[in-house]
Amino acid sequence: MVSPSTPFRPTRAMMLAAGLGKRMRPLTATTPKPLIEVAGKALIDHGLDRMAAAGITDVVVNVHYLADFVEVHVSHRSVPKPVISDERRQLLDTGGGLKKALPMLGPEPFLLMNSDSFWVEGATPNLELLIEAWDEARMDALLLLAPMVNAFGYDGHGDFFMTPNAEVRRRKERSVAPFVYAGVAILHPRLFEGAPDGPFSLNTLFDKAIEAERLFGVRMEGIWLHVGTPKAIREAEAAILESAL
């Protein structure tokens, strides 16, 4: 256990890589979305590289669609060291996939990342902002939230509001919220107490944490790039080039 005087840093993570990637067709007809390249690197490697820089040593990667391709790809990595959570027989959605993987993630809070989470960093790496803000006494989940004004390729109405003390509230129907969930979070395993078996959305547990006043957010720095369609890949690469210039 970490002593009270030592800031907690997660060493384990979950990479969600089992989705079907339907909006990315026709590219995903033969290539799983996590392996589609943006700026010369597979989406999943962008995320895994950021995990490694943040001190993550072990990562659980769930697989379903074109699972063999993803499994072989990540097997070549040593940092973070990958372990596969196999969902070939049944796709379990975000919540169900995480619950299945909990025994491999251990009892401590862990980092969660969608395999297509993609951004251009600001002054401070966003995983560092997330880790520094984690407070186990107050939080069951801490989300990385991208301001809508800095979200490229996203055409939704936002997901959340954030109070002055960083508590998160969900957007109501027919309204617009200033923040969108960037697909990155720190979660405590206790969030899954009483969770159902089989497929279910992680949003169910986010709502439970909101009711308990234990869901918090961190404002992302830099630019969040929603890489959801083939067109969005070109837009993301253009944004990366513009940022570099």
Side-chain angles (χ1 to χ4, degrees):
M1 295 292 291
V2 177
S3 69
S5 60
T6 304
F8 174 77
R9 292 191 69 88
T11 59
R12 295 178 182 268
M14 177 80 184
M15 177 69 80
L16 294 175
L20 301 176
K22 291 181 178 179
R23 294 184 65 223
M24 195 63 83
R25 291 176 178 168
L27 298 181
T28 49
T30 56
T31 303
K33 186 177 179 182
L35 302 191
I36 288 174
E37 292 191 355
V38 176
K41 184 190 297 185
L43 280 167
I44 195 170
D45 285 323
H46 284 283
L48 292 172
D49 287 347
R50 286 194 164 122
M51 285 184 182
I56 298 297
T57 58
D58 298 271
V59 60
V60 179
V61 182
N62 69 338
V63 295
H64 173 76
Y65 177 64
L66 298 177
D68 291 349
F69 290 86
V70 180
E71 189 168 357
V72 169
H73 184 90
V74 300
S75 70
H76 298 296
R77 297 193 64 108
S78 57
V79 182
K81 182 179 179 181
V83 177
I84 297 298
S85 180
D86 195 333
E87 296 180 28
R88 285 175 172 88
R89 290 188 177 182
Q90 183 183 28
L91 185 60
L92 294 171
D93 205 341
T94 51
L98 275 161
K99 184 178 178 182
K100 173 182 169 65
L102 283 181
M104 293 179 274
L105 289 164
E108 298 291 335
F110 58 90
L111 180 72
L112 167 69
M113 187 182 294
N114 294 345
S115 60
D116 60 353
S117 296
F118 193 81
W119 65 88
V120 176
E121 297 282 20
T124 303
N126 281 294
L127 294 189
E128 288 300 320
L129 294 176
L130 198 68
I131 292 168
E132 289 170 7
W134 173 254
D135 182 352
E136 184 171 331
R138 294 192 302 150
M139 303 172 182
D140 286 342
L142 177 64
L143 312 184
L144 188 63
L145 300 178
M148 288 276 282
V149 293
N150 290 336
F152 282 70
Y154 175 76
D155 57 3
H157 300 290
D159 298 316
F160 296 108
F161 293 88
M162 195 158 44
T163 68
N165 73 339
E167 284 188 56
V168 167
R169 298 289 180 264
R170 193 174 289 282
R171 177 183 67 84
K172 296 180 179 179
E173 282 190 58
R174 292 187 290 277
S175 66
V176 176
F179 294 101
V180 58
Y181 173 50
V184 184
I186 294 177
L187 306 180
H188 196 289
R190 63 176 169 241
L191 180 66
F192 293 82
E193 293 174 2
D197 293 326
F200 70 92
S201 172
L202 188 56
N203 279 307
T204 303
L205 303 186
F206 287 169
D207 288 340
K208 183 181 81 168
I210 289 172
E211 290 178 10
E213 299 182 343
R214 296 188 63 84
L215 186 71
F216 288 78
V218 169
R219 182 189 179 102
M220 167 181 275
E221 292 186 0
I223 301 170
W224 183 64
L225 302 161
H226 185 237
V227 188
T229 64
K231 179 184 176 183
I233 295 174
R234 297 189 297 274
E235 294 172 349
E237 291 175 334
I240 293 168
L241 180 60
E242 183 177 347
S243 175
L245 294 174

